[in-house]
């Protein structure tokens, strides 16, 4: 009997088919089963030791098991102690780093830098493969416009084009040029789909959205991931308009597999198949297993739905052996593409120490580029080099483990550089006074006097506020995303001292802190920047790096404005404070505190001379767009220029702005350059009333700017001939 590893065996002409023909039903179901190990807990149910299940062929895949030796040991059980020797597929949530932790994805999105996005994924893949892993459950591609939703931290922000660019970059980074390479891991586009549209910002809640919004906002990032060759897709826990994604035939079988031609593996989210019973569309685990398999879900992650339900489902004619075989074939195919049959022990190489040093430097670079300077009154930043006395207060000043953010993978809690450490190292001449003042949460204000004492002689105060890492991420939603605990009391007391105050916000989401922004001299969003957090932040504080981060998500004034995003439709009564009968609030502005794309630098970049030609365009070809960008500051720096369109009259009400491209620009002081885009006319198309792509003649406005701030955008018009 040929064994999986017997590549030389004359029988193994087509390994997959040969194996399939030899497999028992239990062994087939085993290949559709992914069980969690004990190296991390990432869901509500856990498993015991899987060794016996692997040996018996009932478990063909693992998650949450890493480390070269540990992986080699468990892989050996599968390869040498089972009847057919089919190697295990081991997956893990290497979302923004494995051991070297990079900024959380929402923070890294602020860099608007596809090359950086790909580079950090590549390095994360190398470390994951060194730990013996062959699959990551990343990138997370869920567009999100609601900061109450905790998983906004893990995603690409509010814009579908940015999400699509991140999808492309991350899939390429994780998978590399050859999926069989020892440093490549299979990427998993997740969570398919519209998970970020959760009702009321509550995780796992229904996404009750229109077909139009589904197609215009939430599907594009997954189409981009498939186009980039993503190896796997993970359906989301939620239902979309009542149909749970784990059983969603139109989106899984029809759109993903048939329309997009996705031939990879669909792996359920954690126990999501069994949860179809709770969704109320399956009477029991047998029905749940049948629904998921028939929708195209190949692997049951950490449920036992397939293990318990598929054989009875087959016996009752709810599924066919052909459908089971099709799923097993896809799983075996992925293992073959990963090179696991040729060499199951290929991954788990000795870490390259030299590369690890370079990787830390990349983590620092990614951190610096992710920081967003929201405000800088009186140019209080960058800190003067001769600064003699600085107070660094607040509960995040010396927070170390939290700097990893959510999904910290195998990153050690002791690894990150704290804000206090990084800043003190960058200002060796300064006297640094530190006090936490208050905890991140809780009602204790007793530490505030000591914090004020620490500020007493300071020339400037760094006020390090925000969330704990665990306050965002999965199942970590906040109905009121302000500053937790008694941090406001601390901030008010520090601000009352009348000293220059620079606020650093460590957070996984936009925080509703308009009261603080109004009073602080400067506010920086530092997200959770990972291993090199403190050094990256210090680079920005001291001006060693000129901040260039831009908000990938609109920053609300108040949670009552949510969902709030730049691409709203105009309404027949657009907001006008001066006109009663318009779309506005009596008690709040409709404008956000900061728009999508907002981010200051220590200089000034200006745009001028937007051009778009030809003025009259036909249905083919491209519009040549150009805009002048000048660095009018005294420092070298970078900015991001966004290209939007507005389709003022169409057969469907179009958003007030639609992002069509973005470009980072680096300029020396006084330097100017021309940014050029060649925008295909096809990019002006949209989904017509029948949800089919349509290109309609008429006027189109092209707009360029450094954010979605409408008043600051340059505009030019072109006309598409009828
Ligand atoms: C979790 C998450 C998913 C993750 C999986 C495995 O529930 O929803 O993002 O990849 O389980 O940890």
């Amino acid at each position: 009997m040929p064994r999986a590893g017997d590549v030389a065996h004359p029988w193994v002409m087509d390994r997959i088919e040969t194996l399939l023909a030899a497999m028992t039903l239990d062994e087939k179901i085993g290949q559709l089963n992914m069980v969690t190990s004990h190296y991390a807990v990432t869901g509500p149910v856990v498993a015991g030791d899987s060794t016996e299940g692997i040996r018996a062929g009932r478990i063909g895949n693992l998650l949450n098991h890493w480390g070269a030796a540990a992986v080699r040991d468990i892989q050996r059980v599968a390869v040498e102690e089972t009847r057919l020797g089919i190697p295990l597929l081991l997956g893990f949530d290497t979302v923004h780093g494995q051991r070297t932790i990079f900024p959380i994805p929402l923070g890294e999105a602020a860099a608007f830098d596809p090359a950086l996005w790909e580079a950090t994924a590549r390095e994360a893949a190398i470390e994951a493969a060194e730990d013996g892993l062959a699959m990551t459950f990343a990138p997370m591609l869920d567009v999100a416009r609601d900061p109450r939703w905790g998983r906004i931290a893990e995603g690409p922000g509010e814009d579908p084009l940015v999400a699509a660019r991140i999808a492309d970059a991350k899939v390429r980074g994780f998978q590399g040029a050859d999926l069989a390479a020892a440093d490549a891991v299979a990427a998993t586009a997740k969570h398919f789909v519209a998970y970020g549209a959760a009702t009321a910002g509550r995780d796992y809640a229904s996404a009750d959205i229109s077909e139009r919004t589904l197609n215009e906002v939430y599907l594009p990032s997954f189409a981009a991931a498939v186009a980039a060759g993503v190896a796997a897709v993970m359906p989301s826990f939620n239902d979309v308009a009542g149909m749970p994604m784990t059983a969603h035939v139109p989106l899984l079988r029809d759109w993903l597999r048939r329309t997009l031609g996705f031939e990879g593996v669909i792996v359920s989210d954690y126990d999501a198949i069994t949860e179809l019973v709770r969704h109320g569309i399956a009477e029991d685990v047998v029905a749940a297993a049948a629904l998921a398999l028939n929708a195209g879900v190949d692997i049951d992650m950490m449920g036992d739905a397939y293990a318990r339900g598929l054989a009875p489902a087959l016996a009752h004619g709810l599924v066919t052996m052909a459908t089971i075989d099709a799923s097993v074939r896809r799983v075996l195919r992925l293992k073959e593409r990963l090179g696991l049959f040729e060499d199951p022990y290929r991954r788990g190489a000795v870490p390259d120490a030299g590369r690890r040093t370079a990787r830390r430097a990349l983590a620092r670079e990614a951190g610096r580029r992710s920081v967003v300077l929201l405000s800088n009154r009186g140019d209080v930043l960058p800190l003067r080099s001769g600064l003699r006395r600085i107070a660094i207060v607040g509960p995040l000043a010396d927070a170390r483990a939290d700097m990893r953010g959510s999904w910290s993978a195998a990153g050690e809690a002791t690894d990150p550089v704290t804000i206090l450490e990084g800043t003190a190292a960058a200002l060796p001449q300064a006297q640094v006074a530190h006090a936490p003042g208050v905890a991140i949460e809780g009602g204790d204000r007793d530490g505030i006097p000591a914090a004020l004492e620490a500020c007493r002689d300071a020339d400037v105060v760094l006020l390090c506020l925000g969330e704990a890492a665990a306050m965002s991420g999965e199942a970590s939603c906040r109905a009121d995303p302000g500053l937790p605990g008694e941090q406001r009391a601390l901030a008010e007391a520090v601000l009352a001292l009348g000293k220059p105050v620079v606020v650093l916000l460590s957070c996984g989401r936009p925080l509703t802190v308009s009261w603080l922004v109004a009073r602080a001299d400067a506010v920086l969003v530092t997200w959770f920047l990972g291993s090199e957090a403190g050094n990256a932040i210090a680079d920005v504080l001291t001006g060693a790096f000129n901040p260039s981060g831009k908000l990938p998500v609109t920053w609300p004034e108040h949670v009552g404005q949510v969902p709030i995003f730049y691409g709203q439709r105009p309404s027949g009564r657009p907001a006008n404070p001066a006109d009663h009968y318009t779309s506005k609030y009596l008690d709040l502005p409709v404008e956000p505190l900061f728009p999508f794309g907002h981010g200051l630098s220590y200089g000034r970049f200006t745009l001028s001379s937007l051009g778009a030609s030809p003025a009259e365009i036909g249905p083919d070809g491209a519009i040549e767009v150009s805009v002048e960008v000048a660095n009018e500051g005294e420092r070298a720096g970078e900015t991001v220029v966004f290209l939007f369109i507005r389709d003022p009259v169409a057969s469907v009400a179009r958003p007030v702005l639609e992002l069509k491209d973005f470009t980072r620009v680096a300029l020396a002081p006084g330097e100017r350059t021309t940014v050029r885009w060649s925008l295909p006319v096809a990019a002006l198309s949209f989904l017509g009333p029948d949800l089919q792509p349509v290109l309609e003649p008429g006027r189109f406005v092209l707009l360029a700017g450094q954010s979605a701030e409408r008043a600051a955008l340059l505009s030019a018009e072109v006309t598409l001939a009828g």
Side-chain angles (χ1 to χ4, degrees):
M1 170 58 60
R3 290 168 54 79
D6 297 343
V7 287
H9 199 290
W11 284 13
V12 185
M13 304 303 285
D14 180 335
R15 174 189 292 122
I16 305 300
E17 296 311 319
T18 306
L19 269 177
L20 210 49
M23 292 169 81
T24 65
L25 176 60
D26 281 353
E27 288 166 334
K28 291 179 180 178
I29 294 173
Q31 288 302 309
L32 308 185
N33 193 10
M34 178 179 270
V35 174
T36 190
S37 184
H38 58 283
Y39 288 59
V41 176
T42 58
V45 290
V46 294
D49 186 314
S50 298
T51 306
E52 192 38 51
I54 292 168
R55 189 172 287 123
R58 293 194 306 274
I59 298 172
N61 312 282
L62 278 185
L63 73 148
N64 296 334
H65 192 103
W66 69 83
V71 167
R72 194 166 40 250
D73 292 348
I74 199 71
Q75 189 68 281
R76 186 170 292 121
V77 172
V79 172
E80 300 183 12
E81 299 178 24
T82 62
R83 193 174 74 87
L84 292 172
I86 300 172
L88 291 169
L89 172 63
L90 288 110
F92 186 47
D93 296 284
T94 305
V95 178
H96 52 102
Q98 173 70 2
R99 292 181 185 267
T100 305
I101 304 302
F102 297 106
I104 59 169
L106 185 63
E108 196 185 62
F112 284 89
D113 187 343
L116 176 73
W117 295 334
E118 180 170 347
T120 56
R122 181 86 298 270
E123 291 304 317
I126 292 167
E127 281 195 346
E130 285 174 353
D131 270 340
L133 294 161
M135 180 181 220
T136 178
F137 307 124
M140 192 273 212
L141 300 173
D142 299 302
V143 166
R145 298 166 162 185
D146 186 337
R148 295 172 295 180
W149 188 54
R151 302 197 80 165
I152 193 171
E154 304 168 43
E158 75 180 53
D159 182 79
L161 179 120
V162 175
R165 297 282 173 84
I166 287 174
D168 179 74
K170 291 297 181 185
V171 168
R172 295 176 190 282
F174 284 126
Q175 298 189 168
D178 173 11
L179 208 48
D183 66 0
V185 295
T188 307
K190 75 181 186 182
H191 307 79
F192 185 67
V193 69
Y195 187 25
T199 302
R202 269 181 298 106
D203 208 356
Y204 316 125
S206 176
D208 209 348
I209 55 175
S210 68
E211 278 290 304
R212 177 171 303 284
T213 298
L214 173 70
N215 281 277
E216 289 182 351
V217 176
Y218 296 101
L219 290 179
S221 55
F222 290 90
V226 172
V230 72
V233 171
M234 181 189 291
S236 47
F237 287 117
N238 57 284
D239 68 79
V240 173
M243 178 50 72
M245 278 310 304
T246 305
H248 205 299
V249 171
L251 283 174
L252 292 175
R253 189 195 64 191
D254 299 343
W255 187 80
L256 192 57
R257 290 210 188 280
R258 291 179 181 171
T259 303
L260 293 195
F262 175 66
E263 296 180 337
V265 165
I266 297 177
V267 53
S268 83
D269 205 338
Y270 207 108
D271 201 25
I273 298 175
T274 311
E275 290 173 7
L276 293 175
V277 176
R278 285 203 203 119
H279 272 286
I281 67 163
E283 181 65 42
D284 55 28
V285 72
V286 176
L291 283 171
L293 189 85
N294 289 331
V297 178
D298 299 313
I299 291 180
D300 171 13
M301 176 194 282
M302 199 45 226
D304 53 6
Y306 281 3
R308 281 194 297 139
L310 273 189
L314 181 66
H316 291 93
L318 299 177
V319 299
T320 65
M321 185 61 85
T323 307
I324 292 174
D325 286 353
S327 284
V328 175
R329 198 173 279 120
R330 286 189 286 263
V331 173
L332 295 177
R333 188 92 185 92
L334 176 56
K335 293 182 176 184
E336 183 187 58
R337 288 183 61 208
L338 285 162
L340 290 172
F341 284 116
E342 273 74 23
D343 177 2
Y345 308 108
R346 171 167 304 178
R347 294 169 178 84
V350 175
D352 175 341
R355 184 123 194 190
R356 182 153 286 183
T357 306
R359 193 171 295 131
R360 292 259 345 177
L362 177 64
R364 183 167 182 163
E365 180 64 14
R368 318 196 302 187
R369 290 176 175 278
S370 302
V371 172
V372 179
L373 179 58
L374 293 182
S375 61
N376 188 17
R377 198 173 294 131
D379 290 345
V380 69
L381 289 177
L383 300 175
R384 298 187 324 281
S385 57
L387 187 67
R388 286 179 11 82
R389 290 182 300 274
I390 184 170
I392 304 178
V393 300
L396 277 300
D398 203 24
R400 192 181 302 280
D402 284 304
M403 292 298 111
R404 297 173 297 167
S406 48
W407 298 110
S408 53
E412 298 291 345
T414 55
D415 168 66
V417 176
T418 68
I419 296 172
L420 179 62
E421 287 167 340
T423 307
L427 297 168
Q429 82 291 343
Q431 284 175 14
V432 177
H434 161 64
V438 296
I440 293 174
E441 53 184 339
D444 184 352
R445 299 186 180 191
D446 294 349
I448 292 179
L452 297 180
E453 178 59 24
C455 298
R456 186 161 53 87
D457 299 329
D459 302 319
V460 69
V461 177
L462 293 191
L463 189 49
C464 305
L465 305 173
E467 301 175 307
M471 292 177 176
S472 57
E474 185 174 357
S476 304
C477 303
R478 298 182 64 211
D480 177 9
L483 280 181
E486 295 298 337
Q487 295 185 51
R488 177 161 187 166
L490 171 65
E492 304 273 13
V494 169
L495 289 162
L497 296 174
K499 292 175 175 288
V501 175
V502 173
V503 172
L504 307 179
L505 292 176
S506 296
C507 54
R509 55 165 56 87
L511 298 177
T512 48
V513 289
S514 56
W515 58 273
L516 182 58
V517 172
R519 297 180 57 193
D521 296 280
V523 181
L524 284 158
V525 187
T526 57
W527 314 106
F528 295 109
L529 297 177
S531 300
E532 285 291 310
N535 289 332
I537 292 166
D539 290 344
V540 171
L541 290 169
T542 61
F545 181 80
N546 191 351
S548 58
K550 305 287 182 183
L551 290 178
V553 61
T554 300
W555 195 282
E557 166 97 25
H558 188 284
V559 68
Q561 295 176 313
V562 168
I564 184 169
F565 51 97
Y566 79 82
Q568 309 253 4
R569 297 189 198 281
S571 154
R573 296 187 174 183
N576 174 358
D579 180 345
H580 180 68
Y581 294 100
T582 61
S583 178
K584 66 187 186 316
Y585 302 109
L586 295 179
D587 52 354
L588 271 176
V590 292
E591 293 308 316
L593 188 60
F594 297 106
F596 171 89
H598 174 79
L600 304 179
S601 78
Y602 296 145
R604 201 163 81 88
F605 291 90
T606 56
L607 270 60
S608 60
S609 311
L610 174 66
S613 64
E616 182 101 359
I617 54 177
D620 303 314
I623 306 164
E624 301 307 321
V625 187
S626 64
V627 65
E628 297 286 315
V629 187
N631 177 351
E632 299 190 353
E634 294 163 7
R635 293 169 175 268
E638 301 187 31
T639 190
V640 177
V641 186
F642 298 96
L643 174 64
F644 298 99
I645 69 164
R646 168 78 179 116
D647 184 351
V649 180
S651 54
V652 172
R654 303 300 304 141
V656 293
L657 285 176
E658 296 175 68
L659 183 65
K660 292 299 177 183
D661 211 336
F662 59 84
T663 301
R664 278 188 77 86
V665 182
L667 292 174
E671 187 184 4
R672 57 189 317 117
T673 188
T674 301
V675 171
R676 299 182 191 282
W677 296 284
S678 187
L679 184 68
V681 173
L684 305 180
S685 68
F686 61 96
L687 299 178
D690 60 356
L691 289 179
Q692 293 306 311
V694 65
L695 187 60
E696 295 178 347
R699 289 184 304 119
F700 288 87
V701 184
L702 294 118
L703 305 102
Q706 298 179 78
S707 80
E709 175 69 46
R710 188 60 190 260
L713 293 176
L714 302 178
S715 64
E717 278 199 12
V718 297
T719 301
L720 176 61

